[in-house]
């Protein structure tokens, strides 16, 4: 479908709220379904319901509806879904720095709360193929694209538009208004990013550090989207940040596995 460059986008905060409501409703429905005894012995089906139906579906649906029904019919024109070669370098550096920061925040929170350290409990598990599907393909490739389209695409740009409005003041005030819109958009999208990942009221040091980390990650991803005006850097950063966990799991499993017998 061709890009309608002359079409004025009508998407905005209404679409953001629609995505939030869809997420809440589908999450409640899925939680009711996974409590059924028939699903108790079907962990893979439960994962598919929770990740695909409750996680990806409402965000993808609202972004596509906003773009193709209420926008320019181009994810690049509406939400900045564009990539440049430099995005790989930006994403790699930012993703690794964020992962190192996440480790530091976790340790600092643990020390402040007096929580004793515990051994790392991750790993590949008994099914490497399932690990590759969930930890690499789903968590490190699909999820970053879906979440960046919604949070740093639809949410961030809708907040910017809401602050800027139409016919805002004189040319002298325009730069200040644009800076205010950027700050509100980055902070607002970061807070909503944290809310979407809440599993309840945080009661442990690990849960608190996770929320702090999510907010910082949201701020960095939002700043990248605002500064570059495209989602390429934030998507690659998000991918590297998530993939680093899978890499740690793989290394942990390799180093803890028993030595193979030497043949010959």
């Amino acid at each position: 479908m061709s890009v309608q460059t002359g079409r004025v986008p009508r998407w905005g905060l209404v679409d953001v709220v629609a995505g939030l409501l869809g997420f809440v409703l589908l999450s409640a429905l899925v939680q009711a379904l996974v409590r059924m005894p028939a699903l108790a012995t079907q962990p893979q089906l439960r994962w598919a319901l929770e990740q695909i139906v409750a996680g990806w579906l409402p965000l993808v649906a609202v972004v596509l509806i906003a773009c193709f029904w209420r926008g320019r019919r181009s994810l690049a024109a509406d939400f900045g879904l564009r990539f440049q070669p430099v995005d790989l370098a930006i994403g790699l550096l930012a993703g690794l720095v964020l992962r190192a920061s996440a480790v530091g925040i976790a340790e600092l929170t643990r020390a402040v709360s007096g929580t004793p350290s515990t051994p790392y409990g991750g790993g590949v598990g008994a099914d490497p193929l399932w690990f590759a599907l969930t930890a690499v393909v789903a968590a490190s490739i699909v999820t970053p694209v879906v979440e960046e389209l919604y949070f740093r695409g639809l949410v961030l740009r809708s907040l910017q538009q809401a602050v800027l409005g139409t016919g805002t003041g004189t040319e002298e005030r325009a730069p200040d208004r644009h800076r205010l819109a950027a700050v509100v958009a980055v902070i607002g999208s970061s807070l909503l990013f944290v809310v979407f990942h809440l599993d309840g009221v945080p009661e442990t040091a690990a849960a608190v550090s996770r929320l702090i980390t999510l907010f910082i990650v949201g701020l960095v991803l939002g700043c990248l989207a605002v500064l570059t005006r495209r989602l390429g850097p934030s998507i690659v950063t998000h991918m590297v940040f998530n993939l680093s966990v899978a890499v740690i799991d793989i290394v942990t499993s390799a180093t803890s596995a028993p030595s193979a017998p030497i043949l010959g």
Side-chain angles (χ1 to χ4, degrees):
M1 189 174 293
S2 61
V3 180
Q4 298 191 4
T5 55
R7 186 175 182 178
V8 178
R10 295 181 293 115
W11 46 259
L13 294 180
V14 171
D15 302 272
V16 172
V17 173
L20 177 60
L21 291 177
F23 176 82
V24 171
L25 292 175
L26 284 176
S27 295
L29 175 61
V30 166
Q31 289 305 311
L33 289 175
V34 298
R35 293 191 187 98
M36 297 173 61
L39 293 176
T41 57
Q42 302 290 332
Q44 295 181 351
L45 179 57
R46 291 182 59 179
W47 177 89
L49 288 171
E50 292 175 342
Q51 182 66 68
I52 299 174
V53 177
W56 296 339
L57 180 59
L59 304 188
V60 171
V62 74
V63 166
L64 293 180
I65 290 172
C67 178
F68 291 98
W69 184 31
R70 294 161 57 81
R72 298 185 181 94
R73 300 186 178 183
S74 165
L75 292 173
D78 280 314
F79 306 124
L81 185 59
R82 299 185 299 274
F83 292 87
Q84 292 185 8
V86 70
D87 297 344
L88 294 175
I90 295 173
L92 180 61
L93 177 60
L96 293 178
V97 170
L98 283 175
R99 176 52 61 192
S101 301
V103 174
I105 291 170
E107 287 301 309
L108 179 61
T109 306
R110 182 191 63 78
V112 171
S113 64
T115 304
S117 59
T118 56
Y120 182 71
V124 173
D127 190 345
L129 181 60
W130 181 247
F131 172 84
L133 177 64
T134 56
V136 178
V137 176
S140 304
I141 298 177
V142 179
T143 294
V145 174
V146 172
E147 292 189 349
E148 291 311 301
L149 272 171
Y150 180 75
F151 292 105
R152 261 61 64 173
L154 176 62
V155 175
L156 188 145
R157 293 189 174 206
S158 295
L159 287 171
Q160 281 183 304
Q161 288 186 5
V163 175
L164 290 173
T166 56
T168 55
T170 63
E171 290 299 322
E172 290 74 15
R173 293 178 57 190
D176 291 335
R177 182 61 66 92
H178 279 278
R179 282 192 289 269
L180 174 62
V183 171
V184 171
V186 170
I187 294 177
S189 60
S190 300
L191 289 173
L192 191 59
F193 183 63
V194 173
V195 170
F196 263 73
H197 291 84
L198 279 175
D199 296 324
V201 179
E203 298 178 350
T204 65
V208 172
S209 67
R210 180 173 181 267
L211 295 185
I212 296 173
T213 298
L214 283 170
F215 182 64
I216 293 175
V217 169
L219 291 177
V220 172
L221 297 178
C223 288
L224 288 175
V226 168
L227 292 174
T228 64
R229 298 184 180 181
R230 62 181 185 275
L231 295 181
S234 66
I235 289 176
V236 177
T237 299
H238 201 153
M239 286 180 172
V240 172
F241 181 76
N242 286 7
L243 185 61
S244 62
V245 177
V247 172
I248 294 173
D249 285 336
I250 293 171
V251 172
T252 301
S253 295
T255 55
S256 62
S259 300
I262 300 177
L263 302 180

